[in-house]
Amino acid sequence: MSTLKFPAPVQPVPLFDAKIQYKGLKVHLEEAVRRVLDSGCAIGGKEVEGFEQEFANFCGAACAVACASGTDAISLALKALDVGPGDEVITTPFTFFATASCVARLGATPVFVDIDPYTFNINPALIEAKITPRTKAIMPVHLFGQCADMEPIWHIAEKHDIPVIEDAAQSTGSEYQGKRCGTLGAMACFSFYPTKNLGTYGDGGMVVTNDREWARKLVGLRNHGMYTRYYHEEMGWNSRLDAIQAAMLRVKLPHLNLWNSARQQIASRYDHLLEEQHLTGFLTRPTIRTYGKHCFNQYVVRVADGQRDALRKHLAEESVGTEIYYPLPLHLQKVFSYLGYQPGDFPVTEKACKEVLALPMFPELTLEQQRKVVQSCLGYLVKERGLRQAA
């Protein structure tokens, strides 16, 4: 009889795993889908209206208007403020493309402001210098699950009478000074893309506001600018959340606080494991500001000494999922070349783009999986130091 022992197969650690959450809610999700199919109401109706009210309550806001995606949520909010040709919107170059592309598609100009090097959010101290008579809105992004530092932004916005739109696509459930994101500006824009803290099984978005007149306008804009059936007062577009997605989101929403707590615990475990393995000089952990609650849509580290891409390659070989949010800042994207920005214009952003790496993060991530991630990072560092010593 053979005495050979074969090593246990390597278990991959994905960046994100939606299957676990689905299995836990399978019965309720499928029941929600059948409920919509049985009703015959695929667009709008009580499922969408119910989810809008429940999400508004979750945020602590008066109104929530569902739409087809987080991108459309930004476009709708900007359009509700009548942003258009000749206008400017101040935002960050270190964010997903949609933040600025929605501004540009309305004919307005995105005006970029560099970021805070610790939180990766817009640097409030740099905003006021970019305000001109054409500034129509300020749009901070609550990146990776942590709110931007809003109090100085409020003061600037009030001083210049400029509305603030929150890009809250990555921060559902995060807080600032005891208030949920979604209530920190004139309007807030959310995404329900599957990888978000509250994700559906397709696309979906929401605009949240305390202003009922803006909410009324948003309802019309998402439906071809139609406030009375077949009477079109302005140029809107088709951006409706379908009832099946709304019904599934209603199943998930009551679990969101628990899932966000799990993400916070996972982030804390990462912090401890990286420190335990003496990796904190190589991998800089996320900075958590005391002004609010971070909901960790991503756990993003900085990799020292220009080794980010080599580390990522090593982790891929170890079957550990990672992602780079974001490899090229918006001001250097080809599509925005007409804005005239050059390399070096936003040095903090450009440095972040060369160093950031997102490690696996989802509520069901186990301690064993996290240990594998951290051990794989340590393995890379040991190998790299050995190669340097040999050289």
Side-chain angles (χ1 to χ4, degrees):
M1 183 176 178
S2 174
T3 59
L4 290 175
K5 293 183 179 180
F6 295 94
V10 174
Q11 294 299 317
V13 184
L15 178 70
F16 178 81
D17 190 343
K19 298 187 295 294
I20 300 172
Q21 196 175 95
Y22 167 67
K23 289 175 182 176
L25 296 174
K26 177 179 167 66
V27 172
H28 304 291
L29 289 167
E30 293 180 358
E31 181 182 276
V33 172
R34 284 195 298 271
R35 186 171 69 241
V36 173
L37 295 176
D38 288 342
S39 75
C41 182
I43 301 293
K46 67 178 185 179
E47 296 292 350
V48 174
E49 292 168 2
F51 177 57
E52 287 174 328
Q53 185 59 60
E54 290 157 10
F55 193 76
N57 293 342
F58 175 84
C59 294
C63 307
V65 178
C67 58
S69 68
T71 299
D72 278 4
I74 296 171
S75 295
L76 286 164
L78 292 168
K79 182 68 173 176
L81 294 177
D82 296 319
V83 171
D87 295 329
E88 295 174 348
V89 176
I90 294 174
T91 191
T92 166
F94 192 63
T95 179
F96 181 60
F97 179 68
T99 306
S101 69
C102 293
V103 176
R105 277 200 303 271
L106 289 172
T109 301
V111 175
F112 296 124
V113 170
D114 213 347
I115 59 172
D116 175 270
Y118 301 103
T119 66
F120 305 112
N121 284 323
I122 193 168
N123 187 338
L126 304 177
I127 291 175
E128 192 163 20
K130 295 297 184 80
I131 292 175
T132 74
R134 296 181 297 279
T135 304
K136 200 68 173 283
I138 300 170
M139 186 159 53
V141 179
H142 305 319
L143 200 66
F144 303 148
Q146 180 162 229
C147 289
D149 190 0
M150 295 300 294
E151 186 166 3
I153 297 174
W154 293 334
H155 294 320
I156 294 166
E158 184 177 8
K159 177 180 176 181
H160 296 275
D161 193 25
I162 299 170
V164 174
I165 298 174
E166 300 172 72
D167 182 339
Q170 297 182 13
S171 59
T172 309
S174 64
E175 295 181 9
Y176 181 84
Q177 295 184 357
K179 297 177 65 177
R180 282 263 168 87
C181 76
T183 60
L184 307 176
M187 285 179 273
C189 307
F190 292 87
S191 168
F192 304 122
Y193 187 76
T195 59
K196 297 297 190 281
N197 292 40
L198 179 64
T200 189
Y201 296 90
D203 272 312
M206 187 79 79
V207 185
V208 172
T209 182
N210 282 321
D211 190 305
R212 295 189 183 279
E213 182 54 33
W214 276 337
R216 188 196 73 83
K217 189 169 186 179
L218 289 162
V219 169
L221 287 171
R222 73 176 176 187
N223 195 24
H224 301 287
M226 184 170 61
Y227 301 90
T228 303
R229 192 168 178 81
Y230 300 129
Y231 290 82
H232 303 268
E233 300 178 23
E234 56 189 320
M235 193 64 69
W237 53 92
N238 180 5
S239 181
R240 297 175 298 232
L241 180 67
D242 70 68
I244 286 178
Q245 301 298 344
M248 290 191 290
L249 285 164
R250 294 183 79 184
V251 171
K252 286 189 163 193
L253 182 58
H255 301 274
L256 183 55
N257 285 333
L258 184 62
W259 291 336
N260 282 348
S261 293
R263 288 174 179 269
Q264 291 161 353
Q265 292 169 8
I266 290 164
S268 181
R269 289 204 305 253
Y270 266 134
D271 288 349
H272 174 74
L273 290 167
L274 291 172
E275 186 172 358
E276 183 180 68
Q277 297 299 326
H278 306 289
L279 284 168
T280 53
F282 176 56
L283 301 178
T284 303
R285 296 168 294 182
T287 297
I288 305 173
R289 294 300 189 198
T290 57
Y291 54 57
K293 290 184 179 179
H294 199 315
C295 70
F296 286 99
N297 184 231
Q298 287 94 20
Y299 185 91
V300 177
V301 297
R302 282 183 182 267
V303 185
D305 303 326
Q307 297 187 69
R308 192 266 309 278
D309 294 341
L311 172 62
R312 190 179 188 213
K313 181 175 182 293
H314 173 82
L315 292 175
E317 292 168 354
E318 294 282 306
S319 300
V320 173
T322 61
E323 188 55 90
I324 298 171
Y325 305 109
Y326 298 91
L328 185 67
L330 294 186
H331 68 285
L332 299 181
Q333 296 283 348
K334 180 179 179 181
V335 72
F336 288 130
S337 60
Y338 71 93
L339 296 173
Y341 292 112
Q342 300 296 323
D345 284 346
F346 303 106
V348 183
T349 291
E350 291 168 33
K351 188 172 188 292
C353 286
K354 295 174 183 176
E355 295 179 349
V356 293
L357 186 68
L359 302 181
M361 171 57 79
F362 48 93
E364 301 82 12
L365 190 68
T366 67
L367 176 58
E368 181 183 0
Q369 288 175 310
Q370 287 186 270
R371 282 178 173 151
K372 172 176 177 171
V373 173
V374 173
Q375 285 294 328
S376 296
C377 291
L378 180 62
Y380 166 80
L381 197 57
V382 170
K383 181 178 72 172
E384 178 64 20
R385 285 172 177 169
L387 291 173
R388 287 184 182 183
Q389 288 173 358

